[in-house]
Amino acid sequence: MPSKVSDIDTCEDNASLIIPPTDWYRSLIAAGLRNPAVHGPARQWLQVQGSFTRALQKQCASSFHVEVQREGFAAPTLEEARRLGIPLRQQAWIREVRLCGDGKPWVLARTVIPLACLTGEGRRLIHLGSKPLGAYLFSSRGWQRGPLETGLCNHRSRCLSKTGVPEIARRSLFRNQKSALLVGEYLLPVLYRQS
């Protein structure tokens, strides 16, 4: 059964990054029962096992860059807090970026980093700037990615009538010995509908 979550409400405060409410499924097959489109051209992106950033970089003809849209301490959504197993009102470092290939946004990403992750070497997570999070996670010892979940974005909200909003997403928990963080990647249609 999916958990429904509004990962972020950006209609009024940041029109450049629109992450719609998303229904999360524990597997691609379960999401495919609700929306067969996940078995289409986006499937390869939903199933990338290594660094998603590296896979995007390989797809680029000329350049890849990260545009930080906003980051800072804020309260995660109720569903995110439950998924991470942290107290419901506890603040976390939330980072929202656009991953751009060849000058166009391809993916919107939202990372929720609980306070427990921000000690010791984890303090570097606050200072990533335009560096990809994946470069840190896949080069640091101790971080293990959990199973991928597939998300179906919900476009019922009136503010999501614009083109260029994600339709499908993926997310996973990354764990180390003492904590976990949650990474969500929301695929824009331009990424997987390229000719």
Side-chain angles (χ1 to χ4, degrees):
M1 178 154 179
S3 53
K4 293 182 180 174
V5 57
S6 174
D7 292 291
I8 182 171
D9 181 9
T10 58
C11 296
E12 296 172 10
D13 58 340
N14 190 351
S16 65
L17 185 75
I18 297 175
I19 297 176
T22 304
D23 297 336
W24 293 103
Y25 298 84
R26 297 203 182 247
S27 72
L28 187 74
I29 294 169
L33 293 173
R34 297 280 181 186
N35 183 348
V38 301
H39 298 297
R43 184 182 181 120
Q44 77 175 54
W45 293 107
L46 293 170
Q47 294 182 306
V48 169
Q49 291 298 313
S51 168
F52 196 71
T53 300
R54 188 152 294 145
L56 289 171
Q57 289 169 330
K58 288 180 182 177
Q59 184 74 14
C60 293
S62 60
S63 67
F64 173 84
H65 69 278
V66 175
E67 291 179 359
V68 177
Q69 298 299 294
R70 59 185 175 185
E71 60 183 346
F73 288 104
T77 66
L78 177 65
E79 192 275 340
E80 288 169 336
R82 286 182 177 151
R83 186 72 182 93
L84 286 161
I86 61 173
L88 300 182
R89 291 186 176 87
Q90 185 179 82
Q91 298 268 304
W93 185 260
I94 298 180
R95 172 179 163 92
E96 297 165 355
V97 302
R98 294 193 307 181
L99 306 177
C100 302
D102 299 328
K104 292 183 255 175
W106 283 352
V107 176
L108 307 180
R110 176 175 166 90
T111 304
V112 181
I113 307 169
L115 299 176
C117 293
L118 300 174
T119 60
E121 191 161 316
R123 288 189 302 258
R124 292 172 40 192
L125 290 165
I126 293 178
H127 305 289
L128 289 173
S130 61
K131 294 177 190 161
L133 173 69
Y136 172 81
L137 292 174
F138 285 97
S139 66
S140 299
R141 291 183 175 191
W143 286 103
Q144 298 288 322
R145 180 168 43 205
L148 289 168
E149 296 176 77
T150 302
L152 301 178
C153 301
N154 179 337
H155 293 277
R156 285 179 274 219
S157 175
R158 62 173 164 52
C159 70
L160 298 175
S161 59
K162 299 176 185 176
T163 58
V165 295
E167 298 171 6
I168 55 177
R170 57 181 242 155
R171 75 174 182 181
S172 56
L173 286 173
F174 281 81
R175 296 185 183 278
N176 64 18
Q177 290 184 335
K178 50 189 176 169
S179 57
L181 57 85
L182 184 63
V183 179
E185 295 144 338
Y186 299 77
L187 283 57
L188 296 171
V190 67
L191 173 66
Y192 53 90
R193 291 189 184 147
Q194 296 179 7
S195 46

